[in-house]
Structure formats: C-alpha cells, structure tokens
Amino acid sequence: MVSEPQKKAPTVVERSLPGVSTPSSSASQGSLDDADKTLEALGYTPVFKREFSTWSSFSFAMSISGVYGTLMSTWIYGLQAGGAAAIMWSWVIGGAGAWALALSIAEISSAYPSSGAMYFTIKFLAPESKVAMLCWISGYINLVGTVTGSAATEYASSQMLLAAISISTNFSYMPTTGHVVGTMAVLTIFHASINSLPTVWLNRLTSGYVVFHVSVLVAACATLLAQAKDKHTFSYAFTDFQPTSGWSPPGFAFLFGCLTPAWIMTSADSTARIAEEAKDPSRVVPKAIANATTFTYVIGFVFNLVLVLCMGDPIDLINSPSGQPVAQLFFNAMGRGPAILFTLCGFLVMNLVAIPGLQSGSRTIFALARDDLLPLSSVWRRISTRSQTPLAAVWIYAALEITVNLLGLASYTAIGAVFNVCTVALNVSYVVPIVCKMVYGRFERGPWHLGRWSTLLNIVAVGWNGFMAIIFFFPTQLPVTPLNMNYAIVVFLFVLAFSIGFWFTHGRHYYTGPLTRSTTQYEMTARREV
C-alpha cells in the first residue's frame, strides 16, 4: 500500500484521463480547492461541502462495518456451518478475500473520487463502446445490494433491541415479526431525520462513532473473559468442528460461515460515496477504507476468538429462544444484567451502522440520478440549499428500506432471500470495474495505490468473491424445504433480468454513461432547492 507524497501526486486534471474533458466553470477556479478541481475534471460541479476529515472518514468506514453489532447478527452462519472451527477459519479465509476486495476498491477510489464510486469508475476503466451498458447494469445491481444491505441492518438492529427486551423478561416476552417490522420502520425514519442534517453535523456525529464502537468491543471482550466459566481451549477454537447443516461432505458447509466476514467487510464502497464530502478524497477516502478494513479484520478475529472461547455448548446457542445466539452467549456467561447491557450496546452499534449506511445509500441515489439513470432523476438529484444534502434522495432511500422490510410480514423466507442477495449484488458490482481495470489496461493510478501488489490483490479479490457469490446462492441447511430454501438466486436473476431488460427497452435510447455536464447546465438542475 503506497501513498505518494502530496506534492508529487498527479491530480486527475494532470493525468488527462481518457474520456475526460474539464467543463467550463462559471465559478472562479481560484475559489475551488484541489479536490473540487479534480471533481470538475471528472465532469461534475461540486455541490457538497467538504467537511469529512481523515479521522471522521475513518470513523465512517469503521461504522459501516459495525463489526460488533453486525457480527452479533450474523454469527449464526458460522455456528450452523460447523461451530468453533468454522467460525474461526471462515473469518481468517473469508476475511482475507474481503480484505483484498476492499484494498482493490480503495485503489480505484483514489484515482476517481466521486459519489458514484465504483459504478462511476467504469467510465474510465472500460472501452467507450461498453461503458453505457456496463454502467447501467452495474448501477442497478449496486443499488439493489445497497438498499437490501441497509434494510438488513435496520431489521437486525430491531431484532437486537427486542432481544434485549426479551432477556430482561427472562424470555417471557418473545418478539413477533410484526414487532420487528414496526420497530424497524420507526428506526428508519429516525435515521433518515438525522441524515437530513447539514453535512457539518453529520461529520461531527460520525467522528465519535469509532470511539464508542471500539470501547464496546474492548469492554465486551474483557467482561466475557472475566465472567465466563469453563472456557474452551485455543485448540478447541480452531479444531472443533460440529456441523449441523446436513451438507455432505460436512466441510462444504464451512463456506457458509464466510457469509459473516462478507457481510461485515463487503461495504467498503460505501466510504467512497462520501468522496465529494471529504477533504483531499484521493488520499483520505482510500486510507479510510484500507485502515478501517484492516482494523476490522484484526479486531473481528479477536472478538470471534473471545466469543468461541466463552460460548459453552454451540447447540444451546443455535436454539436460543431469543433468536440471537450472541445475546444468549452473553446471558449464559455473564447473567441477565450484563447481557442486557451488551445486547443494547449491539443495538446502538447497529444504529451507528444504519446512519452512515443511509447517508451512503442516499448518495448512491443522488449519483445515479445525476447521470439520469433513475426514473424521476430530476427529483432525486436536487440539493437542499438549507442542508446542502440531497434530502429527496435521503427520504426515498429510507422508503425503499421500509418497503423491503415489509416483506418480513409476508414471509421470513422471502425477506431472507432479499437480505442474502445483498452481498452477492454488491460483490458483483465491485468485481466488474476491477475486472475492467485488469483486462483493458486503461487504469491510471491515483496518489494512493497498491504498488506491485495491485495485480495480485485484484486477482484474489475477483477470484474469491466471484466464487463466494455462487456459494451464497446455496441453501445453508439440508434437507431443503420451502421454509429454509435460499431464494436469493431468484431475486438476483430478477434484478439482473430487470436491469438488462430495462436497458434494451429504455436506457439504450438515451443513456450514454456517467455524464460530463457543463457547470452552468448542472447548477441549474442540481442546486435547485428542495
């Protein structure tokens, strides 16, 4: 990983990227900083205030992963895949694949810092004749992955809150799907309200996320190690394999445990979406992605190890009446009071995942609308003169989250399929530009890059995450029944068919890829008050 000295690093303007022409600006170039000049060279007029610093960007990236809360909500996959050994080795191996993907995203983000993130980079990485269709399909797949991921976060945070309530009543209260969905809707509206604040307030809030998150992690690990009796050995943690999935050979089920690190570490692209709100984004954003993902990989390993050493009987956790195995582990190891406290901390951490997640998702809506890729694009790309944020995009994104989660009222199997497609959709949308980078040779690196390790890490990222995209379509339990069937492949194929069909019937007639408007023309539409 290399970050070149600031005075020597070429800007986008200096690199003269293929297909880029600097638009004429009605604003004086002297009033723009280097980051805004870079954005103009990419074809867009700056419309956001650059408030995010190196620290707040790192905190944002750490919050997106939300390793404490997200691991609590997805730990069941490793438990069912084979218990202790499956949990630990799936984190080591699956986490390494996700880490390679994050570093590859960071390198490309440094070269083309924009709210469009990886979707936008295809314009510079693919041949001109292929740009429009690849961007269209990748944009819609990424949007679906982003929305379903945010919806899953809101759903999981609701489950965690109700699990804490269930523990406080000695499990006499059992949450229903209706309770979870209702709580989710209230939380989503609250998170959208926070995202309606000006960027300066979002920056201030974000800056404190990582401090709380890491404090909770350290406190939970220390308390578990101090309170848990009859701890397992280190040998048990890496060798005890108790598969309950029904798959044969049983070792195949280990791959399902890799869904946990994929869920936690996949959304590195989300940090790239605040590039137009960050100071010196060509360096700050990729450093935030790389440092946060590396830290998450290490601290996630430690947290997994502590949980495994203190978990007792894994079958007891799988059959927890609260439906939350880590919350049950806290209850078994520490008693009711601490279990309630640390489960509520998980709920708070998941909220700190949901808030920046909604911010990132709304910037996805904004970036796609800015390029006229979405229906009613002229509405979703508007910037409020009060908050200088895309308020319409914030609230339509929140509405999409709630709509997805309403599927839970009809069938948990249906909503589970939608949640499972999240990682696949995001990985596919990330792999496309990385493949273009390697195949077409049009990439011109930015000030932060991977040096000689670039190609190797790109190959690992594409190979592992492409393979795991297939694995995540398999049902995690055998024998397969209508209730445990993984319908994620049906959802993904529908999204793929829709995006391709919509392209041939609609998009190809006008969409030519990410736009490079003149400043004057763009300001007339983008700076209109909501």
Side-chain angles (χ1 to χ4, degrees):
M1 292 173 277
V2 179
S3 183
E4 296 178 358
Q6 187 165 349
K7 63 180 181 180
K8 296 181 180 179
T11 66
V12 172
V13 181
E14 293 167 341
R15 285 186 275 134
S16 301
L17 297 173
V20 173
S21 59
T22 307
S24 59
S25 176
S26 59
S28 167
Q29 285 295 312
S31 66
L32 298 176
D33 64 14
D34 289 342
D36 286 340
K37 291 177 183 177
T38 295
L39 185 62
E40 285 213 332
L42 291 171
Y44 297 122
T45 298
V47 295
F48 294 105
K49 290 189 68 176
R50 294 190 180 275
E51 300 284 357
F52 279 78
S53 63
T54 300
W55 173 256
S56 56
S57 297
F58 170 74
S59 185
F60 184 98
M62 277 296 299
S63 298
I64 286 292
S65 70
V67 60
Y68 178 84
T70 311
L71 194 146
M72 284 183 67
S73 63
T74 59
W75 211 57
I76 185 67
Y77 293 111
L79 273 179
Q80 293 177 335
I87 291 169
M88 296 308 303
W89 289 112
S90 65
W91 184 269
V92 171
I93 298 172
W99 181 69
L101 180 64
L103 293 181
S104 299
I105 291 172
E107 180 180 48
I108 296 177
S109 298
S110 175
Y112 317 102
S114 159
S115 292
M118 296 297 280
Y119 143 81
F120 172 75
T121 66
I122 295 173
K123 174 177 180 178
F124 307 105
L125 300 174
E128 188 174 349
S129 61
K130 297 179 172 25
V131 166
M133 186 173 183
L134 283 176
C135 283
W136 179 277
I137 295 173
S138 179
Y140 271 102
I141 290 176
N142 182 272
L143 179 60
V144 168
T146 303
V147 171
T148 54
S150 295
T153 299
E154 300 284 6
Y155 199 91
S157 63
S158 304
Q159 287 180 312
M160 218 163 287
L161 174 62
L162 297 180
I165 296 174
S166 179
I167 293 172
S168 70
T169 64
N170 281 324
F171 303 106
S172 62
Y173 163 70
M174 299 303 297
T176 66
T177 302
H179 295 165
V180 174
V181 172
T183 304
M184 170 279 306
V186 173
L187 289 174
T188 303
I189 292 171
F190 173 64
H191 298 152
S193 299
I194 291 177
N195 272 281
S196 299
L197 296 171
T199 305
V200 63
W201 285 103
L202 294 175
N203 172 62
R204 290 172 182 173
L205 288 171
T206 302
S207 296
Y209 291 171
V210 69
V211 176
F212 175 77
H213 190 180
V214 174
S215 299
V216 170
L217 269 169
V218 172
C221 290
T223 306
L224 273 174
L225 292 174
Q227 294 292 325
K229 301 177 182 178
D230 301 322
K231 299 181 189 67
H232 296 296
T233 64
F234 285 97
S235 174
Y236 172 91
F238 291 96
T239 61
D240 188 77
F241 186 66
Q242 299 182 38
T244 61
S245 66
W247 276 94
S248 182
F252 179 81
F254 146 80
L255 293 170
F256 299 131
C258 295
L259 185 59
T260 298
W263 259 102
I264 294 171
M265 299 171 66
T266 287
S267 298
D269 171 72
S270 297
T271 308
R273 297 193 179 281
I274 63 167
E276 294 178 33
E277 299 165 80
K279 302 171 183 177
D280 193 13
S282 292
R283 294 177 178 82
V284 167
V285 168
K287 284 181 180 178
I289 294 172
N291 293 339
T293 306
T294 303
F295 184 76
T296 295
Y297 186 32
V298 174
I299 199 68
F301 175 84
V302 173
F303 190 37
N304 268 304
L305 180 59
V306 171
L307 291 176
V308 166
L309 293 177
C310 302
M311 72 178 180
D313 183 2
I315 303 301
D316 179 49
L317 302 182
I318 291 174
N319 297 324
S320 169
S322 70
Q324 294 288 312
V326 177
Q328 184 67 48
L329 189 158
F330 288 157
F331 180 80
N332 294 347
M334 299 185 291
R336 187 171 67 170
I340 294 171
L341 172 63
F342 284 111
T343 302
L344 285 175
C345 285
F347 163 70
L348 292 175
V349 168
M350 289 302 286
N351 279 263
L352 301 185
V353 177
I355 294 169
L358 201 153
Q359 181 182 352
S360 173
S362 66
R363 295 338 182 237
T364 303
I365 297 281
F366 166 80
L368 298 180
R370 180 170 58 182
D371 295 332
D372 287 331
L373 191 142
L374 301 176
L376 300 177
S377 285
S378 61
V379 176
W380 315 131
R381 65 173 173 248
R382 291 177 182 172
I383 300 296
S384 167
T385 55
R386 180 186 62 82
S387 66
Q388 291 191 294
T389 57
L391 290 185
V394 167
W395 286 99
I396 189 60
Y397 191 81
L400 289 172
E401 287 183 317
I402 293 173
T403 301
V404 167
N405 278 325
L406 288 177
L407 286 172
L409 295 175
S411 166
Y412 185 79
T413 303
I415 197 172
V418 175
F419 290 164
N420 286 340
V421 85
C422 162
T423 302
V424 177
L426 289 177
N427 280 356
V428 169
S429 69
Y430 300 159
V431 162
V432 169
I434 297 173
V435 170
C436 289
K437 170 183 177 289
M438 293 190 294
V439 171
Y440 297 114
R442 296 165 62 89
F443 176 73
E444 296 186 36
R445 69 191 190 188
W448 191 99
H449 56 85
L450 297 171
R452 62 179 179 174
W453 299 102
S454 178
T455 300
L456 176 61
L457 287 169
N458 289 170
I459 292 172
V460 171
V462 171
W464 174 258
N465 291 284
F467 171 66
M468 291 310 299
I470 298 172
I471 296 299
F472 290 158
F473 286 138
F474 284 79
T476 58
Q477 294 286 308
L478 291 181
V480 178
T481 68
L483 291 179
N484 66 17
M485 174 60 185
N486 184 358
Y487 294 98
I489 190 170
V490 177
V491 178
F492 181 78
L493 290 177
F494 171 79
V495 172
L496 185 62
F498 171 82
S499 61
I500 294 174
F502 198 30
W503 163 256
F504 282 106
T505 61
H506 188 68
R508 68 188 178 95
H509 298 297
Y510 74 91
Y511 180 75
T512 57
L515 302 179
T516 51
R517 306 165 185 258
S518 70
T519 301
T520 302
Q521 176 189 3
Y522 184 63
E523 284 182 339
M524 290 174 62
T525 56
R527 287 191 178 275
R528 192 176 305 159
E529 182 178 3
V530 175

